[in-house]
Amino acid sequence: MSRVSSLSWRRAESPGLILRGARTVDPRAGIDEVRDVVIRDGEIAELAEPGSVEAGELESVEANGLLALPAFFDPHVHLRTPGHEHKEDIETGSRAAAAGGYCGVLAMPNTAPPIDTAEAVQALGQRAEREASVPTGFLAAITRAIAGEELTEMAELGAAGAVGFSDDGWPVPSAHVLRRAMQYQKLAGGVLALHEEDPDMSGDGVMHEGEVSAAVGLAGIPPVSESTMIARDAAMAAYEDARIHILHLSARASVEAVELSKGAGVKLTAEVTPHHLTLTDEEVRSLDSRFKMNPPLRSEDDRQALIEGLRSGTIDCIATDHAPHATEDKEVPFEQAAMGVTGLETAFPALFTELVLPGVIELELLVERMTAGAEPFGFDVPTLAPGSEANAVLIDPEAEWEAGAEGWESRSENSCFTGRKLRGRVLMTVVAGQVAYRQRSFAMGVAA
Ligand SMILES: [Zn+2]
Ligand SMILES: [Zn+2]
């Protein structure tokens, strides 16, 4: 089922492009070969033998030595609109997405006020049509004001264009309330995207509970705070025959809970973030609040379980949980700092550098999991298969750059990768045949 109509963006016309001589990799299209990617009328017209197609009116882009991949899809970002536009808005957030190689993002409703009315959903869609560089969808809240008590009018919100439902930022602590949401979901359609955490167990924790939290003397959030809620909600989803998507898995016990539920036939999907796949709570020894997010960075054993879950398919997709914050919310003592990190502009380079180059996972797997986030929400997964909508990203796999050194497209700079040397740079993002992003050094048709 494709519901592209509920994604909004600033669409324009483009005559088309030929990306010449790139290593073209798309596991879904079953290709890993040097090709000329011919883009015409917004579609992948063909994956041609290099040099075999005349450019004519198409823009010819020299892509020798570059990677051409299907553009990525992020089912979990925070665009901070309305209410916190000093952190991000639709224009800056979607520009960051385009710069990260994304052709679609889904935004969470924990804004100020939260998105819990049909009018608010429609207003966001209209704004995205004017401001968004990439197709953007909006989830609506499960409960009014994300207070966890009273359900929103889910059917009405769905009819207004909400692409799913979430109280992200918070769990739905009441089993009774979530169970009723599952019953309504069958009428309203859409997916329930769940931030899984037992607030009683998390208490006032600010980092992973373990050796490091004991050493630095900070209150910890135990992994079972997450895994027990996943087990509860998966059991309820099975009972109610509901569809749930588990946001940002962080712990081994959580991967095991998802694996068990999938094995039992529960209709559930799960995501993991680039930071949980590449970093651990060891980073928090620095007490640098750029490493503060919820769920927290966990142990090396948890990280290994997340990688294994990504490999096995227990974890369906990679989502950034891009969570911009203003400097004044972060430059305070660790305990008081806001939870969350940006992620759209570093997702591919961080995972390519930390997991693909050292041989931990294959490039094909990374591409598959960075595009697969469209599927749980009923959107077409980006692919370079001829005849598909032309959503492609060109990447220089040799380019080394220091994250943050040239600033960000995002309005915020709370990246946990700032200062790191990363390999792999997005040079161009094509969305529905239109150039949505071109890196400064990547001039018209000439690689820098
Ligand atoms: Zn969350
Ligand atoms: Zn989130």
Side-chain angles (χ1 to χ4, degrees):
M1 176 188 58
S2 174
R3 295 181 298 126
V4 175
S5 58
S6 48
L7 297 182
S8 310
W9 65 304
R10 211 171 46 207
R11 194 183 279 276
E13 290 302 315
S14 155
L17 302 148
I18 303 185
L19 314 177
R20 291 205 183 269
R23 178 183 163 202
T24 304
V25 180
D26 177 7
R28 273 178 203 254
I31 188 158
D32 181 356
E33 275 172 85
V34 173
R35 281 285 187 264
D36 282 358
V37 180
V38 183
I39 295 168
R40 208 179 270 131
D41 300 325
E43 289 188 353
I44 305 285
E46 59 179 308
L47 303 176
E49 284 294 331
S52 67
V53 176
E54 291 288 330
E57 55 162 7
L58 308 182
E59 183 195 343
S60 193
V61 178
E62 180 49 62
N64 244 314
L66 305 182
L67 289 171
L69 309 174
F72 314 129
F73 192 100
D74 193 340
H76 184 170
V77 303
H78 297 268
L79 298 181
R80 304 303 192 205
T81 300
H84 290 138
E85 284 89 348
H86 64 293
K87 300 181 177 190
E88 197 80 288
D89 61 28
I90 293 172
E91 189 182 355
T92 58
S94 67
R95 227 191 301 138
Y102 287 88
C103 64
V105 295
L106 304 184
M108 288 296 168
N110 62 333
T111 50
I115 304 306
D116 59 4
T117 66
E119 294 72 35
V121 172
Q122 281 160 347
L124 282 174
Q126 286 160 5
R127 235 178 121 167
E129 269 171 32
R130 296 192 302 271
E131 297 175 16
S133 320
V134 302
T136 303
F138 298 92
L139 285 89
I142 296 171
T143 66
R144 280 180 207 276
I146 309 196
E149 287 160 13
E150 223 183 311
L151 290 184
T152 55
E153 300 288 345
M154 290 170 58
E156 214 174 278
L157 292 164
V163 299
F165 304 94
S166 183
D167 275 6
D168 184 40
W170 306 96
V172 180
S174 161
H176 171 69
V177 169
L178 186 60
R179 185 183 169 198
R180 282 191 38 238
M182 287 177 176
Q183 292 165 345
Y184 275 106
Q185 184 226 340
K186 278 175 285 183
L187 308 172
V191 179
L192 294 169
L194 303 174
H195 168 122
E196 299 290 27
E197 179 178 15
D198 182 328
D200 284 338
M201 249 195 277
S202 290
D204 51 10
V206 293
M207 66 173 293
H208 170 63
E209 180 178 285
E211 257 172 60
V212 181
S213 66
V216 298
L218 289 174
I221 300 172
V224 282
S225 171
E226 179 175 279
S227 59
T228 53
M229 285 293 264
I230 293 174
R232 182 198 80 169
D233 295 349
M236 269 201 297
Y239 188 70
E240 294 294 347
D241 194 29
R243 269 280 290 115
I244 60 173
H245 176 72
I246 310 292
L247 301 169
H248 46 47
L249 291 195
S250 70
R252 174 176 290 278
S254 303
V255 179
E256 289 167 357
V258 168
E259 191 175 20
L260 211 66
S261 307
K262 280 191 168 180
V266 182
K267 288 189 267 179
L268 126 176
T269 48
E271 63 176 44
V272 63
T273 72
H275 46 273
H276 289 108
L277 287 167
T278 56
L279 302 172
T280 68
D281 62 344
E282 286 296 328
E283 303 290 347
V284 182
R285 285 189 197 275
S286 66
L287 298 182
D288 185 333
S289 68
R290 282 186 295 113
F291 300 110
K292 183 176 179 185
M293 71 288 286
N294 192 19
L297 297 175
R298 297 202 182 272
S299 70
E300 178 61 17
D301 180 62
D302 291 310
R303 189 179 80 91
Q304 290 301 331
L306 295 171
I307 293 170
E308 198 35 60
L310 195 69
R311 269 203 207 103
S312 69
T314 297
I315 300 175
D316 300 82
C317 57
I318 295 168
T320 64
D321 194 7
H322 177 80
H325 282 297
T327 311
E328 63 265 27
D329 300 325
K330 278 293 196 181
E331 286 189 349
V332 292
F334 194 90
E335 292 98 314
Q336 287 137 42
M339 302 254 199
V341 292
T342 57
L344 285 165
E345 294 171 70
T346 50
F348 181 88
L351 293 165
F352 185 67
T353 305
E354 301 294 334
L355 299 185
V356 175
L357 290 177
V360 178
I361 65 169
E362 299 285 326
L363 175 64
E364 285 76 5
L365 183 78
L366 180 59
V367 171
E368 209 287 322
R369 298 292 188 262
M370 285 190 71
T371 51
E375 209 156 33
F377 294 87
F379 296 106
D380 291 335
V381 177
T383 169
L384 297 177
S388 317
E389 187 173 77
N391 297 308
V393 56
L394 271 185
I395 290 168
D396 183 350
E398 302 297 333
E400 200 178 54
W401 58 294
E402 184 189 322
E406 295 164 33
W408 304 101
E409 298 292 337
S410 168
R411 183 161 290 146
S412 291
E413 48 191 34
N414 54 308
S415 163
C416 54
F417 297 109
T418 301
R420 283 196 186 229
K421 288 264 189 294
L422 299 178
R423 271 270 301 279
R425 184 121 218 215
V426 173
L427 297 183
M428 183 186 259
T429 306
V430 177
V431 177
Q434 173 189 335
V435 177
Y437 172 76
R438 205 187 289 254
Q439 212 265 331
R440 270 172 296 227
S441 68
F442 196 58
M444 295 289 279
V446 185

